[in-house]
Amino acid sequence: MPCILLTGATGYIASHMWLTAQEAGYDVIGVDSLVNSSPRVLDRLTTLSGREPVFVQGDVRDAAVMDRCFELARERFGGVQAMVHFAALKAVGESVERPLDYFDNNLGGLLSVCQAMQRHGVFNLVFSSSATVYGQPERLPITEDSPLSATNPYGQTKLIGEELLRGLERCDARWKIAYLRYFNPVGAHLSGLIGEDPRGIPNNLMPYVAQVAVGKRPHLNVFGNDYDTPDGTGVRDYIHVLDLAEGHVAALRYLADMNASLTVNLGTGQGYSVLELAQAYGDAADREIPVVFAPRRPGDVAACYADPALAESLMGWKARRGLKEMCVDSWRWQSTNPQGFEG
Ligand SMILES: NC(=O)c1ccc[n+]([C@@H]2O[C@H](COP(=O)([O-])OP(=O)(O)OC[C@H]3O[C@@H](n4cnc5c(N)ncnc54)[C@H](O)[C@@H]3O)[C@@H](O)[C@H]2O)c1
């Protein structure tokens, strides 16, 4: 079985990828510093997969940590076939307060990961990029050839990260890279045993709504109800985290089979407004989500959704799960784990 090495492995998206990849026939080894995740994820992965996770705790910027991962993969699985690099800090607001920490962690981490790959002769990489690289989109739906820009240090780390990797590919044809631009990952594993567990006040809409539904927060603040959208609130493209994980498996297969790089959006192509999402979540949780309208936030756009056609034509991948499933699965996780992994 081919083996993949996941960085940021106990994080929200990577933990779902871990299970999805194992189901697709990959052996998995994970590395994480636990700066934004819980070691209890590993117990849940054991329960769900019936296998002890092969895991290294450490920072990807540490060359010795990366070497240990490759050595362990060699001992246990005969070597790494491809790397999936999720590890990053991801809070936009925090990145404005601590830009150097973001540059150091996200760009320093990426360089260290690539250096380790080169030392160990592995050149297939899946990179967690983001729709944030489109900045303020000029056209909708967003296609991959849209203009790129960054509006905050977090976005810069994704944009510069992509640029660094493209530079690497131009200099050395052995590198094959999948640049996956995620839209808004939401939802949770069907078991309700793993899901998104933000520390402090959630930065993203669905985890915030989930905490309102479970009674941890009194209401949802809706920033702006006078946008040029059907109900006046912001419209975004939400994608179920399991669809996203399946997109990564499709990308790994593409890299191995086509021996070529690719850049694709991972979204559904369908936008939902804040109020539509709150309503769907309330239906899933069978309770009302109180909303309070507040002024628009600077930098927010009215609508943002993907054109996902390229991912389908190149990789044969398409998101399958709708808003209802996203909310039902998120609620199963939130309601059975109201305190997240620490409960
Ligand atoms: N969730 C989103 O809305 C979203 C959207 C677009 C892109 N992304 C990207 O997807 C990736 C995964 O995001 P997520 O939502 O799962 O976030 P997450 O915070 O849940 O997971 C990231 C993991 O990386 C780990 N990590 C961070 N820096 C590290 C380092 N230097 N060494 C080792 N481990 C480190 C954290 O402990 C965490 O477990 C990130 O690169 C993020 O920027 C996320």
Side-chain angles (χ1 to χ4, degrees), residues 34-94:
L34 304 178
V35 66
N36 196 42
S37 53
S38 165
R40 294 189 184 170
V41 170
L42 297 167
D43 301 332
R44 304 283 173 98
L45 291 176
T46 308
T47 305
L48 288 168
S49 69
R51 291 193 240 174
E52 190 75 28
V54 182
F55 178 72
V56 173
Q57 184 181 340
D59 196 304
V60 297
R61 289 169 293 179
D62 183 339
V65 166
M66 293 311 300
D67 286 342
R68 186 138 38 92
C69 294
F70 281 94
E71 278 151 26
L72 199 54
R74 203 168 299 125
E75 274 168 32
R76 299 290 295 269
F77 305 125
V80 172
Q81 189 205 55
M83 183 98 184
V84 189
H85 181 45
F86 291 100
L89 299 175
K90 62 164 183 177
V92 169
E94 187 184 63

Side-chain angles (χ1 to χ4, degrees), residues 70-310:
F70 281 94
E71 278 151 26
L72 199 54
R74 203 168 299 125
E75 274 168 32
R76 299 290 295 269
F77 305 125
V80 172
Q81 189 205 55
M83 183 98 184
V84 189
H85 181 45
F86 291 100
L89 299 175
K90 62 164 183 177
V92 169
E94 187 184 63
S95 80
V96 176
E97 286 158 24
R98 296 167 33 207
L100 287 173
D101 289 346
Y102 272 67
F103 297 151
D104 183 7
N105 193 75
N106 294 4
L107 294 172
L110 177 61
L111 285 181
S112 171
V113 162
C114 291
Q115 286 162 340
M117 290 175 69
Q118 183 161 287
R119 280 198 300 283
H120 294 274
V122 175
F123 296 96
N124 283 6
L125 170 66
V126 178
F127 177 59
S128 293
S129 189
S130 165
T132 191
V133 298
Y134 296 116
Q136 304 268 354
E138 288 169 13
R139 281 180 287 115
L140 291 172
I142 301 174
T143 50
E144 288 79 355
D145 57 359
S146 301
L148 304 180
S149 67
T151 52
N152 55 67
Y154 167 70
Q156 273 182 291
T157 67
K158 294 299 176 189
L159 198 55
I160 296 169
E162 282 202 10
E163 199 45 47
L164 282 174
L165 293 173
R166 289 184 209 284
L168 199 53
E169 279 190 71
R170 280 194 292 273
C171 299
D172 183 343
R174 289 175 298 176
W175 286 93
K176 301 296 173 226
I177 299 169
Y179 304 83
L180 303 185
R181 294 177 178 161
Y182 314 159
F183 278 67
N184 297 276
V186 296
H189 192 260
L190 298 180
S191 63
L193 285 179
I194 56 169
E196 187 168 11
D197 181 18
R199 294 182 176 170
I201 301 170
N203 292 301
N204 295 335
L205 180 62
M206 192 176 285
Y208 200 102
V209 174
Q211 293 195 358
V212 174
V214 85
K216 274 173 92 173
R217 303 195 183 273
H219 59 258
L220 171 68
N221 292 306
V222 178
F223 299 103
N225 60 351
D226 54 354
Y227 284 112
D228 184 15
T229 60
D231 64 20
T233 65
V235 166
R236 298 289 180 273
D237 185 337
Y238 299 95
I239 174 169
H240 197 296
V241 65
L242 291 176
D243 277 326
L244 192 66
E246 288 166 10
H248 287 68
V249 170
L252 285 166
R253 291 192 178 130
Y254 183 94
L255 292 179
D257 297 347
M258 309 305 286
N259 194 28
S261 294
L262 88 167
T263 302
V264 288
N265 291 334
L266 295 186
T268 64
Q270 166 78 54
Y272 289 104
S273 75
V274 176
L275 293 183
E276 282 175 314
L277 185 141
Q279 178 68 48
Y281 208 98
D283 292 347
D286 197 20
R287 61 197 64 191
E288 202 180 321
I289 306 295
V291 299
V292 171
F293 292 107
R296 294 180 183 194
R297 285 182 304 197
D300 277 356
V301 294
C304 174
Y305 48 92
D307 181 339
L310 189 63

Side-chain angles (χ1 to χ4, degrees), residues 13-36:
I13 302 171
S15 56
H16 290 81
M17 173 60 182
W18 195 317
L19 293 171
T20 301
Q22 284 182 327
E23 280 160 22
Y26 290 89
D27 282 320
V28 178
I29 169 164
V31 57
D32 202 299
S33 63
L34 304 178
V35 66
N36 196 42

